[in-house]
């Protein structure tokens, strides 16, 4: 499937890399922000045929041990802030607080947690993943932090401009072995939170519609309490979402929602086979119209599967997902110390790139992969908030070729990571899309008829 195109990274020294996020902090060009851990954070931008590190000194922050990264528009100014989760210990209290970088009007960056009014709520606990969520559908995001055996956090801007941790009043401040975090309308029509945990049950927080939550992991059979969760992702299951996550040295899961709401595991033996998994990524890398699932591993070969919807649309039965193991090609990377990965079309050619962060057990360079002989046709949909920022957590459904496919605009997924805020659809040999429906976190929706193929379509928030 993949060929190694790591030479497209202009400066790629070995490092102890962890999470990565595709952020849109200013203007249309995305940044791939890579957590440096034992060195500076990086901000890779596509320029003159290469990914070039343009990290400003404040964001590079070389003294802080960065693990997880996520971006979203916290303050409603149309530009994304960048949350960097720092952790200098495996568990317990940390010496380095997390950072929440905001861009000033003069182009410099500053950490909101360093403001005097925010220092009391800083996260000084060992964490892993962070994801963004617009829980009330207002276009302003908060950051949910999955801490490790310390209370989870949910940071939002209070009306006076100070940061507030709303996890305690929303009953989200539960202590667990937090690992992966995912925010999408998975269990309701509003942004929900799914958190994989180690040495304990997963959390599945259903949004009640008013921005408060109820843990429904037991009811939906998503607890998986005997395993040690890592990366989690959502993938298309015939116009709805399936859930996939990896368990460290345990069976990996592919969960499909049944007609009565409970979820059932549809993982094949090859997919479920235990491994030293870190992140799990879902994307249509070869534009064939089906999602691939990439399992990134620590010091063992990575795996790749195609997830094809064999039957959908029957309300009396759960959809069938056929998993086929593929040859990952160069991305097999058997000696890689994999930690995270980020997906995006960095060179704007309609074929996704896969950036893999490596180096947990020893310094390694980043790896960049691209599908060989990808199918020629595609459609990319980029929903925007009422403020013009990426509408993370929005859901896009595309109808073409007699079927419906669903994509979530990534607010956080994988492990320690966040993908590009674009819904990418491979069309295979088709050149026509019948209909695209976009639903924002507040339930507002827009329908596009016959959008052009081989184009990126920005969809503003509907007014009035």
């Amino acid at each position: 499937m993949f060929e190694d195109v790591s030479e497209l990274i202009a400066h790629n020294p070995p490092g102890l890399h962890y999470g990565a996020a595709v952020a849109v902090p200013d203007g249309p060009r995305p940044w791939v922000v890579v957590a440096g851990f034992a060195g500076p954070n990086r901000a890779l931008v596509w320029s003159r045929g290469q990914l070039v590190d343009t990290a400003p000194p404040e964001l590079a922050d070389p003294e802080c041990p960065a693990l997880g990264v996520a971006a979203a528009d916290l303050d409603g100014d149309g530009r994304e802030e960048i949350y960097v989760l720092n952790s200098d210990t495996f568990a317990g209290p940390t010496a380095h607080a997390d950072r929440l970088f905001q861009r000033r009007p003069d182009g410099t960056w500053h950490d909101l947690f360093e403001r005097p009014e925010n220092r009391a709520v800083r996260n000084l606990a060992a964490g892993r993943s962070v994801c963004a969520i617009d829980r009330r559908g207002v276009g302003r995001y908060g950051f949910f932090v999955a801490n490790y055996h310390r209370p989870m956090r949910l940071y939002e801007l209070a009306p006076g401009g100070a940061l507030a941790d709303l996890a305690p009043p929303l009953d989200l401040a539960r202590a667990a072995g937090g690992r992966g975090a995912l925010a999408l309308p998975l269990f309701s029509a509003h942004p929900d939170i799914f958190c994989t945990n180690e040495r304990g049950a997963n959390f599945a927080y259903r949004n009640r519609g008013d921005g408060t939550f109820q843990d429904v992991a037991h009811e939906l059979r998503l607890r998986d309490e005997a395993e040690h969760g890592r990366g989690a992702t959502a993938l298309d299951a015939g116009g709805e979402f399936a859930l996939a996550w990896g368990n460290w040295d345990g069976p990996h899961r592919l969960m499909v929602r049944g007609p009565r709401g409970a979820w059932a595991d549809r993982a094949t033996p090859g997919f479920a086979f235990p491994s030293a998994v870190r992140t799990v990524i879902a994307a249509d890398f070869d534009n064939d119209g089906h999602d691939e699932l990439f399992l990134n591993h620590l010091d063992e070969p990575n795996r790749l599967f195609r997830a094809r919807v064999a039957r959908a649309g029957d309300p009396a039965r759960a959809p069938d997902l056929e998993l086929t193991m593929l040859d990952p090609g160069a991305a097999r990377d058997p000696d890689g110390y994999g930690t995270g990965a980020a997906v995006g079309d960095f060179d704007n050619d309609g074929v996704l790139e896969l950036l893999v962060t490596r180096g947990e057990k020893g310094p390694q360079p980043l790896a960049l992969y691209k599908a060989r002989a990808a199918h020629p046709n595609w459609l990319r949909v980029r929903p925007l908030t009422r403020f013009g920022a990426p509408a993370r957590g929005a859901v896009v459904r595309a109808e073409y070729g007699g079927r419906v496919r669903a994509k979530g605009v990534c607010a956080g997924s994988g492990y320690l990571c966040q993908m590009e805020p674009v819904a990418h659809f491979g069309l295979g040999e088709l050149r026509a899309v019948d209909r695209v429906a976009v639903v924002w976190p507040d339930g507002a929706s827009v329908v596009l008829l016959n959008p052009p193929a081989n184009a990126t379509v920005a969809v503003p928030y509907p007014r009035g």
Side-chain angles (χ1 to χ4, degrees), residues 240-310:
E240 301 298 331
F241 291 122
L243 264 176
W245 70 85
N247 286 316
W248 178 261
D249 279 340
H252 312 315
R253 307 299 187 189
L254 178 62
M255 306 296 290
V256 175
R257 180 168 42 203
R260 297 183 180 178
W263 296 62
D265 191 3
R266 295 290 186 264
T268 61
F271 183 85
F273 193 80
S275 60
V277 70
R278 279 296 191 254
T279 201
V280 180
I281 303 293
D284 187 355
F285 291 107
D286 62 359
N287 284 344
D288 70 342
H290 306 285
D291 283 342
E292 284 82 46
L293 283 165
F294 177 75
L295 276 67
N296 188 24
H297 293 124
L298 179 67
D299 206 18
E300 66 178 75
N302 298 323
R303 297 186 208 157
L304 185 69
F305 298 82
R306 176 173 291 116
R308 180 179 177 273
V309 179

Side-chain angles (χ1 to χ4, degrees), residues 332-365:
R332 186 171 179 269
D333 195 23
D335 300 317
Y337 303 144
T339 47
V343 171
D345 182 13
F346 308 132
D347 59 2
N348 293 310
D349 69 348
V351 179
L352 295 174
E353 285 82 42
L354 170 67
L355 180 84
V356 177
T357 58
R358 306 186 304 169
E360 179 170 330
K361 290 176 61 177
Q364 289 183 327

Side-chain angles (χ1 to χ4, degrees), residues 378-394:
W378 46 274
L379 173 68
R380 291 167 57 76
V381 182
R382 187 163 60 89
L384 303 175
T385 69
R386 66 192 72 197
F387 306 110
R392 296 187 185 270

